[in-house]
Amino acid sequence: MNYIITCCSTVDLEVQYLKERKIPYIPFHFQMDGKEYLDDLGYSIPPREFYDRIEKGAMPVTSQINAEEYKDFFRPILEEGHDVLHISLSSGISGTYNSARIAKEELQEEYPDRKIEVIDSLGASSGYGMLVDSLYEKREGGMSFEEAVTWANENKLCIHHWFYSNDLTHFKRGGRISPTAATFGNLLNICPLLNVDKEGKLIPRRKVRGKKVMKEMVAMMEQHAQDGLNYSKKCFISHSARYEEARKVANMIEEKFENLNGRVEIFDIGAVIGSHTGPGTVALFFFGDSREEEENQ
């Protein structure tokens, strides 16, 4: 197919995955300990080192991609004669979607014969990555550019994002939960279970004590997954320096959902999303009922 699927670094997929599928990505930026880095999927700073530095007191600060950077990113693809289908990080947590839209509008004048579309994923981390993965498979199956745009907009809210953190410091810093809730949560070992709503924003849903939160998160998949326990699509998990917990959740899912499309795939939460979660987060992603319907219940 004569269109290229692109994304940004916050898909939290492995760089080898994107290289093998020839999916170009544009990196966000972050600063740590007085130095600026590209969010290059763990090449400059491996995830373990990144989270170790946070635990030792580093406070990374992120900056979004601007319109000029997007134009420089898209232009070579357009010049090669390809159309561009760009999938963006949720507009509910970043302004980068608007930057990509501005770049699209300006480039459309330069390349009137090329198609450029920017999709707001309304997702983040490997849930955003799951939308990119699905679109890649659709394209490889012969889906046209126009069909892919329609499919993405009709199905992006079916990708569920459920996650928890056993260290609430960075969620407090980012305003996701109140300082009081963070303090008592850390003291009482209460892990809020959060998800991403229909506007692509992070919303606390339940308060769960300790490791029970892992079972509660799997219960959300039982409740919302397409076809329930007969769910037969992919399942992704991402984590920030909590691989053992992520693997436990994956084992629970693989035991309950026997018809999964392959094993649960586990990824590291990258530097930009990880700057806001800090270490201690485990996130679960799957196809389920529409998040819009969930909000209306």
Side-chain angles (χ1 to χ4, degrees):
M1 308 301 291
N2 195 37
Y3 65 96
I4 301 296
I5 296 169
T6 65
C7 60
C8 57
S9 57
T10 47
V11 288
D12 289 350
L13 299 173
E14 294 177 355
V15 67
Q16 191 61 30
Y17 167 96
L18 297 176
K19 285 183 177 180
E20 288 174 356
R21 291 158 180 78
K22 298 180 181 178
I23 301 174
Y25 77 93
I26 182 169
F28 272 65
H29 312 264
F30 67 96
Q31 292 183 343
M32 178 181 271
D33 297 328
K35 184 177 178 181
E36 184 165 332
Y37 297 90
L38 288 177
D39 179 24
D40 51 15
L41 301 178
Y43 180 78
S44 297
I45 303 180
R48 183 65 261 180
E49 178 186 341
F50 176 78
Y51 291 112
D52 281 346
R53 287 169 66 173
I54 290 179
E55 288 176 336
K56 292 175 182 176
M59 297 292 281
V61 177
T62 64
S63 57
Q64 66 186 38
I65 305 161
N66 63 43
E68 289 302 315
E69 289 174 302
Y70 271 116
K71 288 167 67 176
D72 291 342
F73 176 59
F74 293 148
R75 188 174 281 111
I77 301 172
L78 298 168
E79 289 181 349
E80 290 175 357
H82 300 294
D83 299 326
V84 174
L85 177 56
H86 181 73
I87 317 303
S88 171
L89 176 66
S90 172
S91 62
I93 59 176
S94 171
T96 192
Y97 168 70
N98 290 329
S99 298
R101 291 281 302 175
I102 292 169
K104 170 205 166 176
E105 291 169 7
E106 295 181 4
L107 287 172
Q108 201 72 77
E109 296 180 4
E110 290 184 42
Y111 301 90
D113 296 331
R114 297 264 59 86
K115 299 172 187 173
I116 311 169
E117 191 63 55
V118 178
I119 302 292
D120 182 356
S121 72
L122 296 175
S125 191
S126 303
Y128 166 23
M130 180 171 276
L131 180 60
V132 172
D133 175 77
S134 298
L135 284 166
Y136 168 79
E137 292 187 344
K138 298 292 183 184
R139 189 194 67 181
E140 294 304 290
M143 183 174 278
S144 71
F145 183 93
E146 291 78 9
E147 289 170 333
V149 171
T150 299
W151 186 90
N153 284 320
E154 289 180 350
N155 289 274
K156 62 189 180 183
L157 285 178
C158 292
I159 298 177
H160 278 241
H161 302 52
W162 291 92
F163 58 100
Y164 70 86
S165 178
N166 46 40
D167 183 350
L168 304 179
T169 304
H170 286 262
F171 284 90
K172 175 189 72 175
R173 178 183 171 218
R176 308 301 180 187
I177 60 175
S178 70
T180 301
T183 299
F184 281 98
N186 285 332
L187 287 173
L188 300 175
N189 193 26
I190 293 174
C191 295
L193 182 63
L194 305 93
N195 77 347
V196 175
D197 69 4
K198 65 180 181 180
E199 297 179 349
K201 298 178 180 179
L202 280 59
I203 305 294
R205 297 296 186 184
R206 287 172 172 77
K207 297 177 181 179
V208 187
R209 189 178 294 275
K211 300 302 180 184
K212 292 180 181 179
V213 70
M214 289 189 281
K215 292 183 178 179
E216 185 67 17
M217 189 159 65
V218 175
M220 292 300 99
M221 184 169 175
E222 290 183 58
Q223 178 179 334
H224 293 285
Q226 292 178 3
D227 299 320
L229 292 176
N230 293 318
Y231 180 75
S232 58
K233 295 184 178 180
K234 291 184 180 181
C235 178
F236 288 176
I237 290 177
S238 62
H239 70 96
S240 55
R242 291 296 184 274
Y243 178 79
E244 292 77 12
E245 289 182 33
R247 185 66 256 172
K248 286 180 181 178
V249 173
N251 290 343
M252 294 164 65
I253 290 168
E254 290 170 355
E255 183 177 342
K256 283 182 176 289
F257 298 87
E258 297 180 354
N259 298 319
L260 284 173
N261 180 3
R263 299 197 67 186
V264 176
E265 297 184 57
I266 301 175
F267 304 95
D268 290 297
I269 293 176
V272 167
I273 301 297
S275 295
H276 298 278
T277 68
T281 296
V282 176
L284 170 65
F285 312 100
F286 57 89
F287 277 91
D289 49 5
S290 171
R291 285 184 260 154
E292 191 162 20
E293 294 175 5
E294 178 193 16
E295 293 297 314
N296 293 332
Q297 291 177 0

